[in-house]
Amino acid sequence: MSRRADSDETRATARPDRGDGDRPDPPGRGGRPDRDDRDDRDDRDDRGWTAAAADAAARPDQPGADAASAEPVRTEEAHIIAARTGRALTTSALHAAATGADTFPAVLREALGRRGLSLERVSERLKARGITISQATLSSWQRGRSQPERARSLRAVDVLEEILDLPAGTLRSLLGPRRPRGRTTPPGAEGAALQILGEDSVVEKALGARFRHFNQETSSLMVHDIVRIGESGTMSGFSTTNVLRAGRAGADRALFVLSFDDEAAEPVDIRVTCGRLAEATYLKGLKSLVLEIHFGRKLAKLDTTVVSYAVEVSPSLTPATHYERWSRTNLHEYLQQVYFHPGTLPVDCHRYVREKVGAPPRAQRRIPLGAAHDVHVLTSRCKPGVHGVAWEYGP
């Protein structure tokens, strides 16, 4: 079975010769790259499960249990705030009060989701009105990576409001000042993650809007992964200990994304021994598990904390052949251990590095099997990239 565990700086897989097979093509590939860009919608009833959602369902009296009834209250509050401040109540302010979306990308995403329109369809409707805006441009707008500025783009925004049934001026009033021209790298954690993962990765789809600020308050210093392979050759579970350092004061949580290549493999038990598990959401369609772990306190700048978790998985259909971790930052030290069942030992093991997901492996080196039926790789000053161990079984 093929597996991968993607976390803040991690990724684990099992078929290194697959190229970028760990990043499944989104619907619409082949001339329709943004067919399914509505990644912020929750389809968890058929895509997987979430511990947070299950907990909320069990406690309907908790805040957020009746989101529909809260909409008039938020709108009324917007009127009250406008009356107190003396400011005009704009259509965008009313829309923000009713939906909770108050930025151009967020309002655009919300409206697309509400109308159920794909970016391809929106692009076609704009073209029918004499405005040519590509799906890629629309995708950048809804993700906040660019914004409409030129005359044609601003005209498109006005027409978008009609197509999406938004009050006139809703989107236009949310546009910020013009951005500097020229090609720039996306800032912060998002840019670093994109350089390693590429566009439209499983991690980006799993996190949705949260990917933009993916663990930007912390970075990993040391990581220790332990992977356990069962008698059938499939992965039975893995655990991770991660030493994090705060880049700014107030950091109190981190996100981790663990992915599996085999649909039969699903998390069956999650244990957090350092930190507190606040969310565990399994997205079946993406074969990914999202964990949000709280530190239990707010960190001061440059303060450190330890997060440890372990995940057991259900039996898969295909034996595992490798495990990878991706890192968006320099690690002081990375230790990876793989333990094999004594009844199913590999005949060959080697380590390798990829510059990014999908790149060919390099720096391959054979590693010996230890007395505990394990192999390990210890890397100091671990550079950003993908670091993995692969193994082969005999005939």
Side-chain angles (χ1 to χ4, degrees), residues 24-44:
D25 287 340
R29 282 288 185 196
R32 298 157 62 183
D34 295 299
R35 176 74 178 179
D36 194 25
D37 266 332
R38 289 168 286 156
D39 50 276
D40 292 326
R41 299 175 62 189
D42 256 334
D43 298 323
R44 289 171 182 160

Side-chain angles (χ1 to χ4, degrees), residues 14 58 81 113 120 137 153 184 186 198 241 260 270 303 328 365 379:
I81 293 173
E120 180 189 35
T137 297
S153 297
T184 58
T241 297
F260 311 87
I270 303 166
D303 199 1
R328 62 179 171 82
R365 193 175 73 192
T379 306

Side-chain angles (χ1 to χ4, degrees), residues 229-366:
I229 307 299
E231 186 173 9
S232 62
T234 62
M235 187 183 300
S236 59
F238 53 87
S239 61
T240 295
T241 297
N242 198 325
V243 181
L244 298 163
R245 180 169 62 190
R248 64 182 68 176
D252 64 351
R253 68 194 65 188
L255 286 168
F256 303 87
V257 184
L258 320 174
S259 298
F260 311 87
D261 283 342
D262 195 325
E263 292 184 353
E266 294 188 6
V268 294
D269 185 43
I270 303 166
R271 299 184 305 279
V272 176
T273 52
C274 286
R276 178 177 64 83
L277 181 63
E279 176 192 345
T281 302
Y282 181 64
L283 304 171
K284 189 175 182 64
L286 296 175
K287 294 175 286 186
S288 297
L289 171 66
V290 178
L291 302 179
E292 180 177 308
I293 298 179
H294 291 192
F295 307 150
R297 62 187 178 94
K298 292 184 180 296
L299 304 181
K301 185 176 181 179
L302 302 182
D303 199 1
T304 60
T305 190
V306 177
V307 170
S308 295
Y309 59 86
V311 179
E312 292 183 11
V313 297
S314 58
S316 61
L317 303 177
T318 309
T321 59
H322 78 295
Y323 181 95
E324 292 181 348
R325 165 172 288 273
W326 67 268
S327 174
R328 62 179 171 82
T329 59
N330 289 303
L331 291 174
H332 287 198
E333 193 168 82
Y334 174 49
L335 173 60
Q336 183 181 111
Q337 291 180 279
V338 182
Y339 286 87
F340 298 94
H341 190 279
T344 310
L345 298 177
V347 296
D348 180 69
C349 299
H350 65 272
R351 60 184 295 183
Y352 62 91
V353 177
R354 302 179 192 267
E355 292 184 357
K356 60 182 179 181
V357 171
R362 58 178 179 80
Q364 300 186 54
R365 193 175 73 192
R366 190 170 184 177

Side-chain angles (χ1 to χ4, degrees), residues 69-364:
S69 64
E71 181 173 323
V73 176
R74 289 198 298 266
T75 305
E76 181 181 352
E77 289 176 350
H79 283 282
I80 295 174
I81 293 173
R84 288 177 178 174
T85 61
R87 296 175 181 172
L89 187 60
T90 64
T91 52
S92 59
L94 281 174
H95 184 85
T99 65
D102 59 358
T103 64
F104 178 85
V107 171
L108 179 58
R109 286 195 304 270
E110 186 275 334
L112 287 167
R114 175 172 46 80
R115 291 278 289 147
L117 291 173
S118 68
L119 296 185
E120 180 189 35
R121 186 62 180 146
V122 171
S123 181
E124 290 173 351
R125 292 193 180 187
L126 287 171
K127 188 174 183 179
R129 302 194 187 196
I131 303 173
T132 302
I133 300 293
S134 69
Q135 297 174 44
T137 297
L138 291 171
S139 178
S140 293
W141 289 357
Q142 74 161 353
R143 294 172 185 269
R145 293 176 184 159
S146 65
Q147 69 174 22
E149 293 179 348
R150 298 178 180 177
R152 183 188 62 179
S153 297
L154 294 175
R155 170 59 182 152
V157 171
D158 295 335
V159 176
L160 274 175
E161 292 172 348
E162 299 176 17
I163 294 173
L164 300 175
D165 289 338
L166 293 172
T170 298
L171 291 173
R172 178 77 83 104
S173 64
L174 292 171
L175 293 175
R178 290 178 64 90
R179 298 182 177 183
R181 292 296 179 190
R183 185 176 181 85
T184 58
T185 301
E190 181 190 24
L194 286 172
Q195 290 179 6
I196 304 299
L197 293 173
E199 297 279 352
D200 296 321
S201 66
V202 171
V203 177
E204 184 174 3
K205 291 178 181 179
L207 293 180
R210 291 186 291 181
F211 183 77
R212 183 172 177 80
H213 307 288
F214 185 26
N215 291 345
Q216 65 179 6
E217 296 183 334
T218 59
S219 60
S220 292
L221 296 179
M222 300 172 60
V223 176
H224 182 191
D225 284 331
I226 297 177
V227 185
R228 299 189 180 278
I229 307 299
E231 186 173 9
S232 62
T234 62
M235 187 183 300
S236 59
F238 53 87
S239 61
T240 295
T241 297
N242 198 325
V243 181
L244 298 163
R245 180 169 62 190
R248 64 182 68 176
D252 64 351
R253 68 194 65 188
L255 286 168
F256 303 87
V257 184
L258 320 174
S259 298
F260 311 87
D261 283 342
D262 195 325
E263 292 184 353
E266 294 188 6
V268 294
D269 185 43
I270 303 166
R271 299 184 305 279
V272 176
T273 52
C274 286
R276 178 177 64 83
L277 181 63
E279 176 192 345
T281 302
Y282 181 64
L283 304 171
K284 189 175 182 64
L286 296 175
K287 294 175 286 186
S288 297
L289 171 66
V290 178
L291 302 179
E292 180 177 308
I293 298 179
H294 291 192
F295 307 150
R297 62 187 178 94
K298 292 184 180 296
L299 304 181
K301 185 176 181 179
L302 302 182
D303 199 1
T304 60
T305 190
V306 177
V307 170
S308 295
Y309 59 86
V311 179
E312 292 183 11
V313 297
S314 58
S316 61
L317 303 177
T318 309
T321 59
H322 78 295
Y323 181 95
E324 292 181 348
R325 165 172 288 273
W326 67 268
S327 174
R328 62 179 171 82
T329 59
N330 289 303
L331 291 174
H332 287 198
E333 193 168 82
Y334 174 49
L335 173 60
Q336 183 181 111
Q337 291 180 279
V338 182
Y339 286 87
F340 298 94
H341 190 279
T344 310
L345 298 177
V347 296
D348 180 69
C349 299
H350 65 272
R351 60 184 295 183
Y352 62 91
V353 177
R354 302 179 192 267
E355 292 184 357
K356 60 182 179 181
V357 171
R362 58 178 179 80
Q364 300 186 54

Side-chain angles (χ1 to χ4, degrees), residues 52-71:
D55 184 56
R59 296 180 288 127
D61 58 321
Q62 294 297 313
D66 190 0
S69 64
E71 181 173 323

